[in-house]
Amino acid sequence: MAELTTQGAGRVAVLKPRVFGWVQDYGVYAAVLALLLFNVLFTPHFLDASNFRTQLVQVTPIVIVSLGMALVIGTQGIDLSVGSAMSLAAALVVLYLGYGWLPALIVAVLGGAVVGAVGGALVAYVDVQPIVATLALLVGIRGLANVLVPQLVEFRNPDLIALGSSSVAGIPVIVLIAAALTLVVMFVVRRTTFGRQVVAIGGNRSASELSGLPVKRVLLIVYVISGLLAALAGVLATARLQASDPTSLGLFIELSAITAVVVGGTPLTGGRIRVLSTVMGALLMQLLAATLIKHNLPQSWTQMVQAVIILAAVYATRERATR
Amino acid sequence: MRRTDLEPVLEARGISKRFPGVLALDGVSLALRPGEVHALVGENGAGKSTLIKVFTGVYQPDGGELRHQGQPAAFGTPMDAQRAGISTIYQEVNLVPMMSVARNLLLGREPRGRFGVIDAAAMNGEAERVLAGYGVDTDVRRPLRSLGVGAQQMVALARAVSIDARVVIMDEPTSSLEPREVETLFGVIRRLRDQGIAVMYVSHRLDELYQVCDQVTVLRDGRVAHTGALAGVERLRLISLMLGRDLSEVRSQGTTRFSRDRAGTGTGTGTGTDGGQGRRSPVIEARGLTRRHVLDGVDVSVRPGEVVGLGGLLGAGRTETAKAIVGALPLDGGQVLVAGAPVRTGSTTAAIRAGVSLLPEDRKAEGIIPTLSVRENIALAALPSLGRGGVVSDAKIDRVVEIFMRRLRIKAASPHQLVSELSGGNQQKVLLARWLAVRPKVLLLDEPTRGIDVGAKAEVQALIDELALEGLGVLLISSDLEELVEGADRILVLRDGAVAGELSGDDVTEERIMATIAEQADG
């Protein structure tokens, strides 16, 4: 039977040659470029610096969270706890702001790392399914964040506010941070032993175990990284809002992050991680929403178009898997 | 015993079943008569499971005829076969683990009271009564999963029989049973036989076949090698039928690519070729490897430059021994020493660091990483040593990959081609390269030439020779007796998870292996 499917796949590969492979590899880049071009031509004031910056700043938390999500999905896992890790970070950062913005930031990010460590330990050592382990954290950690900071708290720490609103050479600092993190994660995935092990474990866990890879440790670290990045996104979002809002910060961001990863062409079956494409996936969804709103189409239209794009991306990824 | 006058309840006449590239069944004829216990035996790939699936409606035959109670029959679905009274008991019990024992037993036929509500008391009472007949004494209200595997199988069996089964097919039913449970099972089988039910019994445990079966059919390479009364077939002959090595046919002249020079210089005790050195101490020594139902105190040792063969039938514990040595199988007892130093068992990382590597039997499930390239698959196990400070060095990887792709003649469009696109033989070479790249002291090879083409097979065999000459210790597992005899200096024969005998020197022959397998356990 296995041979039958292989033959079928071979035929598909012949019928849909290069073009389809190209779409799979670069489709998301092309889509982003096409949307940009469309906007330059048809959307008034699109190229205004302020508008462009707003778009980038808005998408930054999603980009940072989806970097971690891409790693987790690469191991055949999923991390639903990222939004709650963000809210915990938002709570921790205002609670410790009295010690200065940097200590507060460190505590908040460590909080996210602990959330990731709990999820990762459940997945790696207790063999809980990723979706269940992180679902529990999704519920529990937001509760914890709400206990710590029950309502919206505004703050006046100038350094933290500056982190969220200042720019270097016209580019917002938080966008620069997201770009730097993207490069770091790309480097980790492509060039480090750890990154190659992450991909291998997602591709075939038993083979990785028999090859002597520290499978459990790698899985744990992947979730820690995801929690850490989510917490950092939470701090940056809080800095930009100039207020800590654990009740609603990061709500449903896990879905946006998964969408970015999927649209970027990383298969949910693991074994392959496309970092830059994931960022492009996040940009594509953001740009799409902005474009439709600018052209006076209601929000509901955006959602339907996004659904179509998700399905198209999944279709392309699946074809690749059988190739 | 055989009531040949009776019409077969289920009969295959010249059944063929083809899969792409493989003729799984080739004109197989077999008759099951009421009141007989019919053993179905054969090695891996002989066609046993395909035949069972034809009988149970999972597969449709491509040729031949299936007859049920004298009439031509076609089972389009497993449901059709069940309705015709054919039940199958699989190794893994296929019941609903969370439901109560009684519900499982009577599922779909629960006694109902008024308004169609299930009458729990009546159901439990009936379940207890039925199960008592199968030697299962338990609280039937408990969930099924709280029972032992043996008891669960009895429930499955009782359920099958109570749904008016005329034919019961048992696939390796005793593989996870305690001896006492096996006895109960045999009691039940004999009772089924007396009730006129036909039982097809699939097992690799010869002792069991002789205890409980009347008839036997041996499948080999999709054909019937023998069918008839079991009483007239002696063990040795049964084994030679299964392995396809007719006793008279075995000649010393082989077709494998192993050079006999290496082994030829041996003194009969398995000394390597390092002539002057004489007997070297073992590079690896496993003592008393034990795991319940699987391994029973296996001792294995391999000296540098020696190829030790691991023989035995399927299910004798060969793969499990290899996995235990490399830390991939949790053990209840035993010890592994590499170059005299104990290695932590149950950890592949520790075993690989100590210099022990396993080429697994199942290339697809446990070997290749299909989403990665040839290059990355080769470098996988050696990654920590192919970089600095956790950052991989492309130059180092390229060098290693190039060396092994050339040495093993791996045919790929480029090192960056996906490994899943390669042929089976080339995938196997990629895995060998993965292991050679970590410079092991001992290589455990589990069926290294299965499912690969003839050319690649010869190359792999020649490589095994070469590696041993270089001083590597090799443990070779193979179902191909010829490969085993010609490749190994010394052979350990396993039976039922224990070492049944050790052959060395002139005793390394196919006849001696088969004779060792055939010896009665404990005489």
Side-chain angles (χ1 to χ4, degrees):
Chain A
M1 288 308 229
E3 282 155 73
L4 193 72
T5 45
T6 330
Q7 281 186 349
R11 210 162 44 237
V12 170
V14 174
L15 288 177
K16 302 178 191 169
R18 306 263 152 133
V19 180
F20 201 78
W22 187 88
V23 170
Q24 287 174 340
D25 285 339
Y26 304 108
V28 65
Y29 298 89
V32 169
L33 275 179
L35 259 180
L36 280 175
L37 198 64
F38 174 86
N39 279 302
V40 168
L41 293 177
F42 300 108
T43 309
H45 310 300
F46 180 76
L47 280 182
D48 288 6
S50 66
N51 174 54
F52 207 69
R53 280 176 54 164
T54 311
Q55 300 299 331
L56 284 178
V57 166
Q58 275 179 4
V59 80
T60 297
I62 298 176
V63 166
I64 296 176
V65 168
S66 62
L67 290 173
M69 188 68 79
L71 291 180
V72 174
I73 287 179
T75 66
Q76 279 190 21
I78 200 128
D79 188 355
L80 299 184
S81 69
V82 284
S84 299
M86 279 179 76
S87 77
L88 180 65
L92 289 174
V93 81
V94 288
L95 285 181
Y96 287 86
L97 208 45
Y99 298 95
W101 73 277
L102 194 58
L105 183 143
I106 291 171
V107 169
V109 168
L110 285 180
V114 169
V115 173
V118 173
L122 287 172
V123 170
Y125 294 93
V126 195
D127 261 337
V128 181
Q129 285 162 329
I131 197 166
V132 178
T134 58
L135 179 64
L137 290 168
L138 164 96
V139 177
I141 298 298
R142 188 171 295 274
L144 174 65
N146 277 324
V147 169
L148 294 176
V149 176
Q151 62 217 357
L152 191 132
V153 177
E154 293 184 22
F155 56 83
R156 309 205 179 284
N157 182 309
D159 296 322
L160 192 58
I161 290 173
L163 180 66
S165 53
S166 62
S167 297
V168 174
I171 306 170
V173 169
I174 64 172
V175 172
L176 290 175
I177 292 175
L181 287 172
T182 304
L183 292 178
V184 169
V185 173
M186 279 171 74
F187 179 81
V188 167
V189 169
R190 291 188 188 172
R191 304 283 326 203
T192 65
T193 310
F194 170 77
R196 301 325 297 160
Q197 290 177 335
V198 169
V199 177
I201 290 167
N204 188 339
R205 184 166 170 174
S206 8
S208 300
E209 265 160 14
L210 278 179
S211 298
L213 270 55
V215 173
K216 291 180 176 169
R217 197 172 73 217
V218 170
L219 281 176
L220 175 70
I221 295 174
V222 162
Y223 283 85
V224 168
I225 292 175
S226 176
L228 210 140
L229 287 172
L232 186 60
V235 172
L236 295 181
T238 302
R240 193 170 68 88
L241 285 172
Q242 305 185 7
S244 168
D245 181 14
T247 311
S248 58
L249 185 76
L251 264 185
F252 300 119
I253 197 167
E254 65 279 354
L255 299 183
S256 304
I258 294 168
T259 304
V261 174
V262 167
V263 170
T266 297
L268 287 173
T269 44
R272 195 179 276 128
I273 299 175
R274 290 157 54 91
V275 179
L276 201 55
S277 298
T278 296
V279 174
M280 287 297 144
L283 288 180
L284 177 62
M285 296 319 242
Q286 175 74 21
L287 213 50
L288 189 72
T291 307
L292 295 180
I293 288 167
K294 284 263 155 57
H295 287 266
N296 293 322
L297 287 162
Q299 170 77 14
S300 38
W301 275 84
T302 310
Q303 292 168 333
M304 288 189 281
V305 175
Q306 286 180 335
V308 171
I309 290 184
I310 292 172
L311 289 177
V314 170
Y315 175 73
T317 312
R318 194 194 53 167
E319 285 297 317
R320 170 211 297 279
T322 57
R323 190 165 62 180
Chain B
M1 208 61 181
R2 179 156 227 210
R3 310 168 201 179
T4 35
D5 48 315
L6 287 175
E7 185 168 48
V9 56
L10 189 63
E11 189 180 6
R13 285 190 185 171
I15 292 279
S16 294
K17 178 70 191 172
R18 179 183 294 280
F19 295 115
V22 195
L23 191 55
L25 292 178
D26 184 6
V28 169
S29 297
L30 189 160
L32 273 176
R33 291 185 165 77
E36 77 178 18
V37 182
H38 197 125
L40 181 66
V41 295
E43 279 290 278
N44 244 348
K48 283 173 309 189
S49 44
T50 309
L51 183 60
I52 291 175
K53 284 178 177 164
V54 168
F55 276 149
T56 52
V58 179
Y59 290 158
Q60 314 309 314
D62 296 327
E65 191 185 23
L66 205 57
R67 294 175 75 86
H68 178 242
Q69 294 184 321
Q71 303 294 319
F75 301 140
T77 64
M79 215 45 211
D80 291 347
Q82 269 184 32
R83 266 190 226 108
I86 298 163
S87 281
T88 320
I89 314 290
Y90 289 102
Q91 282 156 290
E92 289 89 31
V93 178
N94 45 347
L95 297 173
V96 192
M98 309 295 276
M99 286 208 293
S100 77
V101 174
R103 281 296 295 272
N104 267 292
L105 185 64
L106 299 169
L107 196 63
R109 299 170 297 120
E110 300 93 343
R112 291 182 188 269
R114 274 199 296 179
F115 313 121
V117 179
I118 293 172
D119 183 344
M123 180 174 76
N124 294 337
E126 190 180 339
E128 267 167 30
R129 202 166 51 247
V130 172
L131 286 178
Y134 289 85
V136 179
D137 180 20
T138 181
D139 182 353
V140 296
R141 289 166 300 184
R142 282 164 55 195
L144 181 79
R145 63 178 181 151
S146 65
L147 266 58
V149 182
Q152 288 193 30
Q153 256 174 10
M154 290 302 169
V155 175
L157 192 59
R159 176 174 166 79
V161 174
S162 62
I163 323 178
D164 198 26
R166 316 305 312 277
V167 176
V168 176
I169 298 173
M170 299 186 188
D171 191 0
E172 295 272 351
T174 58
S175 55
S176 46
L177 297 191
E178 304 288 345
R180 186 178 48 81
E181 296 171 324
V182 173
E183 277 314 308
T184 314
L185 178 70
F186 286 176
V188 172
I189 290 176
R190 291 191 186 102
R191 217 171 61 225
L192 296 180
R193 182 186 60 197
D194 296 342
Q195 290 169 11
I197 291 171
V199 177
M200 177 172 262
Y201 191 88
V202 183
S203 177
H204 296 104
R205 300 187 178 175
L206 298 185
D207 291 337
E208 291 177 8
L209 301 186
Y210 282 96
Q211 271 184 58
V212 77
C213 298
D214 319 313
Q215 301 287 316
V216 66
T217 295
V218 182
L219 286 184
R220 191 176 67 232
D221 300 334
R223 297 203 187 96
V224 174
H226 175 83
T227 184
L230 181 61
V233 187
E234 60 175 303
R235 269 160 190 272
L236 194 55
R237 188 162 134 65
L238 192 61
I239 291 163
S240 71
L241 283 167
M242 286 165 67
L243 299 181
R245 312 295 301 170
D246 280 350
L247 294 172
S248 53
E249 263 182 23
V250 178
R251 297 280 175 272
S252 59
Q253 200 169 342
T255 55
T256 63
R257 272 276 296 275
F258 291 112
S259 69
R260 297 294 313 215
D261 308 348
R262 174 173 47 77
T265 60
T267 58
T269 51
T271 320
T273 44
D274 309 58
Q277 285 213 336
R279 223 184 147 92
R280 297 175 66 176
S281 56
V283 60
I284 188 163
E285 216 177 341
R287 294 182 193 149
L289 301 177
T290 301
R291 180 176 162 81
R292 209 160 75 99
H293 296 315
V294 180
L295 294 177
D296 185 13
V298 174
D299 297 324
V300 183
S301 72
V302 183
R303 281 183 276 275
E306 187 186 29
V307 179
V308 174
L310 215 47
L313 294 177
L314 194 70
R318 295 171 303 178
T319 295
E320 291 76 6
T321 299
K323 285 207 164 159
I325 292 174
V326 82
L329 182 82
L331 286 176
D332 298 326
Q335 199 185 9
V336 177
L337 300 137
V338 176
V343 178
R344 186 157 60 96
T345 57
S347 159
T348 50
T349 314
I352 289 165
R353 202 167 292 153
V356 189
S357 295
L358 167 68
L359 183 80
E361 178 182 18
D362 192 335
R363 206 160 45 228
K364 207 164 186 172
E366 306 189 310
I368 63 165
I369 314 274
T371 53
L372 296 186
S373 66
V374 170
R375 177 180 184 272
E376 294 187 279
N377 267 282
I378 291 177
L380 185 68
L383 268 183
S385 66
L386 294 175
R388 185 184 277 174
V391 178
V392 296
S393 153
D394 275 337
K396 278 188 190 169
I397 293 182
D398 284 339
R399 203 154 55 234
V400 167
V401 168
E402 203 209 317
I403 289 171
F404 285 108
M405 282 187 74
R406 191 180 300 156
R407 174 166 181 193
L408 304 188
R409 284 194 285 278
I410 294 170
K411 289 190 201 73
S414 91
H416 300 284
Q417 193 180 5
L418 278 184
V419 75
S420 47
E421 295 172 358
L422 301 192
S423 71
N426 279 302
Q427 288 184 1
Q428 190 73 302
K429 289 191 204 167
V430 166
L431 293 180
L432 272 166
R434 180 191 290 170
W435 290 122
L436 295 178
V438 297
R439 303 171 191 280
K441 299 188 183 96
V442 188
L443 201 49
L444 316 178
L445 305 171
D446 195 352
E447 301 284 1
T449 64
R450 174 181 293 163
I452 68 180
D453 62 279
V454 187
K457 187 170 176 169
E459 285 182 58
V460 169
Q461 290 169 339
L463 180 73
I464 295 171
D465 254 357
E466 207 177 305
L467 293 171
L469 275 173
E470 289 170 12
L472 202 68
V474 178
L475 187 71
L476 175 66
I477 298 176
S478 179
S479 298
D480 181 346
L481 282 188
E482 190 177 10
E483 179 169 289
L484 210 53
V485 165
E486 294 184 14
D489 304 318
R490 188 159 62 89
I491 291 178
L492 295 176
V493 178
L494 295 185
R495 191 181 54 222
D496 296 341
V499 177
E502 177 176 341
L503 308 171
S504 57
D506 294 337
D507 278 345
V508 179
T509 63
E510 297 182 21
E511 295 98 321
R512 291 287 301 134
I513 295 174
M514 291 192 284
T516 312
I517 295 173
E519 280 163 16
Q520 303 268 1
D522 303 321

